[in-house]
């Protein structure tokens, strides 16, 4: 088995387990997400967090066309639209595309477009840079996905992955609820192995925590409600449990509350979740053109 085949097998194991235990995945995993969920609603004109600042200052040029592959509601790319010529968001979820448009309109950002489609099923517009933020945890066709990026992007690919991967954050609750260990999605280590097998040697840049702030509810009941909502989104979408499973999970949270939650001065923190940090994988594509003047300077220095 190749490294890429093992990556696909890991994703399949996750999807098969969750389908067996939770029923079929919704066609649009974001359709029933609460309207004000932070994955759906964000301030595109907020100050850039440190991780986005790295991308904006180190890799993005004012004349760039940025392709946000699986960009969702634009939580990453809309703030970056203020630093480049145009952002094009390609995402298969109608719910997320609508959120992208709404976030852009609220912020008065005009240099954006969106395409409601799966990345592997469209002919994408040429771009200078592609951003792929938290998309590849559940990508079965990992090699065709990367190959298409290589073919479509003129200069550089940026991939953001969290360590540990967010779809594995609730593994403790998963085992309490279902009585079996959770299959874990591949993370940045497995992705780097796939890239290297493809002949790609990415730069690996550790970053800080994700920009999505944790919620610290002030009461026990509010903490349980937030945990229920987080578990529904544990698939890195919003996959409803159904009333029976949701009630079972509520009982787990109630009976194990003091074991699971940490009380802080600001509210109750889910002690089983380790959020970790984002990791940036980036490389220049084969389409990158060498600046002749830089080549001449390099020859002179040699």
């Amino acid at each position: 088995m190749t490294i890429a085949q093992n990556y696909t097998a890991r994703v399949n194991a996750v999807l098969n387990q969750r389908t067996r235990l939770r029923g079929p995945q919704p066609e649009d995993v974001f359709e029933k997400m609460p309207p004000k969920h932070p994955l759906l609603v964000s301030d595109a004109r907020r100050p850039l967090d440190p991780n986005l600042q790295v991308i904006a200052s180190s890799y993005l040029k004012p004349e760039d066309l940025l392709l946000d592959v699986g960009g969702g509601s634009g939580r990453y790319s809309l703030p970056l639209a203020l630093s480049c010529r145009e952002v094009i968001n390609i995402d298969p979820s109608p719910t997320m595309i609508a959120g992208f448009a709404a976030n852009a309109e609220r912020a008065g950002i005009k240099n954006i477009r969106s395409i409601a489609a799966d990345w592997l099923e469209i002919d994408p517009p040429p771009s200078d840079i592609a951003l792929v933020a938290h998309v590849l945890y559940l990508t079965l066709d990992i090699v065709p996905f990367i190959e298409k990026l290589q073919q479509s992007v003129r200069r550089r690919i940026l991939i953001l992955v969290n360590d540990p991967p967010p779809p594995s954050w609730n593994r403790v609750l998963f085992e309490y609820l279902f009585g079996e260990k959770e299959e874990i999605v591949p993370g940045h280590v497995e992705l780097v192995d796939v890239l290297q097998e493809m002949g790609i040697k990415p730069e690996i840049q550790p970053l800080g925590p994700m920009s999505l702030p944790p919620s610290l509810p002030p009461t026990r009941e509010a903490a349980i409600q937030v945990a229920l909502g987080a578990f529904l989104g544990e698939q890195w979408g919003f996959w409803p449990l159904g009333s029976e499973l949701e009630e079972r999970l509520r009982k787990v949270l109630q009976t194990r509350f003091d074991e699971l939650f940490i009380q802080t001065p600001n509210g109750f923190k889910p002690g089983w979740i380790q959020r970790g940090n984002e990791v940036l994988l980036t490389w220049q594509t084969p389409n990158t053109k060498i600046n002749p003047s830089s080549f001449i300077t390099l020859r002179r220095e040699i």
Side-chain angles (χ1 to χ4, degrees):
M1 182 180 289
T2 67
I3 293 172
Q5 288 171 335
N6 185 63
Y7 190 102
T8 297
R10 286 274 299 272
V11 176
N12 260 323
V14 171
L15 294 175
N16 290 340
Q17 181 188 46
R18 295 183 188 184
T19 299
R20 172 170 55 85
L21 296 171
R22 297 176 65 173
Q25 177 174 313
E27 185 174 346
D28 181 354
V29 293
F30 301 102
E31 184 179 8
K32 295 185 179 180
M33 181 170 282
K36 294 184 179 181
H37 193 284
L39 283 179
L40 195 58
V41 178
S42 61
D43 178 7
R45 289 192 178 271
R46 68 188 185 276
L48 292 182
D49 65 69
N51 296 356
L52 276 180
Q53 185 62 48
V54 168
I55 293 174
S57 61
S58 300
Y59 301 109
L60 206 55
K61 299 178 181 179
E63 65 272 20
D64 279 344
L65 192 158
L66 172 65
L67 198 63
D68 191 6
V69 181
S73 67
R75 190 164 55 93
Y76 285 84
S77 61
L78 282 176
L80 294 175
L82 302 174
S83 301
C84 66
R85 175 167 57 92
E86 186 179 20
V87 164
I88 301 177
N89 178 19
I90 298 177
D91 196 284
S93 166
T95 303
M96 280 296 175
I97 289 292
F100 178 80
N103 288 332
E105 184 176 1
R106 276 192 300 271
I109 295 175
K110 305 295 185 183
N111 59 329
I112 56 101
R113 285 186 281 158
S114 61
I115 302 173
D118 185 278
W119 170 243
L120 290 176
E121 296 176 358
I122 66 163
D123 183 14
S127 62
D128 301 294
I129 288 199
L131 174 64
V132 186
H134 303 287
V135 169
L136 299 180
Y137 308 118
L138 293 162
T139 298
L140 288 165
D141 299 318
I142 186 65
V143 171
F145 193 105
I146 298 296
E147 286 177 340
K148 192 165 186 176
L149 287 172
Q150 292 267 86
Q151 296 160 5
S152 306
V153 179
R154 287 189 284 258
R155 192 173 83 249
R156 180 171 287 274
I157 295 167
L158 304 164
I159 296 179
L160 281 172
V161 184
N162 204 76
D163 179 27
S168 71
W169 283 356
N170 280 296
R171 66 179 70 180
V172 172
L173 288 187
F174 191 99
E175 188 168 357
Y176 282 148
L177 178 60
F178 296 113
E180 61 184 75
K181 290 188 179 298
E182 182 181 38
E183 297 286 349
I184 302 302
V185 299
H188 80 281
V189 173
E190 292 81 5
L191 181 56
V192 168
D193 288 342
V194 170
L195 294 173
Q196 291 178 340
E197 184 176 62
M198 296 174 66
I200 299 168
K201 296 181 179 179
E203 304 164 31
I204 305 172
Q205 187 170 354
L207 302 175
M210 297 175 65
S211 61
L212 193 62
S215 175
L216 295 179
T219 67
R220 294 170 71 97
E221 179 56 31
I224 289 172
Q225 284 298 122
V226 169
L228 285 169
F231 195 89
L232 294 180
E234 190 235 7
Q235 184 65 29
W236 211 224
F238 198 80
W239 192 336
L241 286 168
S243 57
E244 181 182 348
L245 279 177
E246 189 166 340
E247 184 57 31
R248 277 170 50 190
L249 180 55
R250 174 180 286 278
K251 288 181 179 178
V252 168
L253 292 166
Q254 288 172 335
T255 57
R256 295 181 176 268
F257 189 92
D258 293 331
E259 170 191 345
L260 290 170
F261 291 91
I262 300 170
Q263 187 169 10
T264 75
N266 298 317
F268 289 95
K269 175 183 176 182
W272 67 92
I273 292 180
Q274 301 298 319
R275 293 182 177 272
N277 296 301
E278 287 183 311
V279 179
L280 176 63
L281 310 179
T282 180
W283 67 94
Q284 289 185 326
T285 69
N287 308 316
T288 303
K289 294 182 179 179
I290 298 175
N291 186 325
S293 61
S294 300
F295 179 68
I296 292 170
T297 302
L298 178 61
R299 289 187 60 186
R300 285 175 180 169
E301 290 175 354
I302 292 173

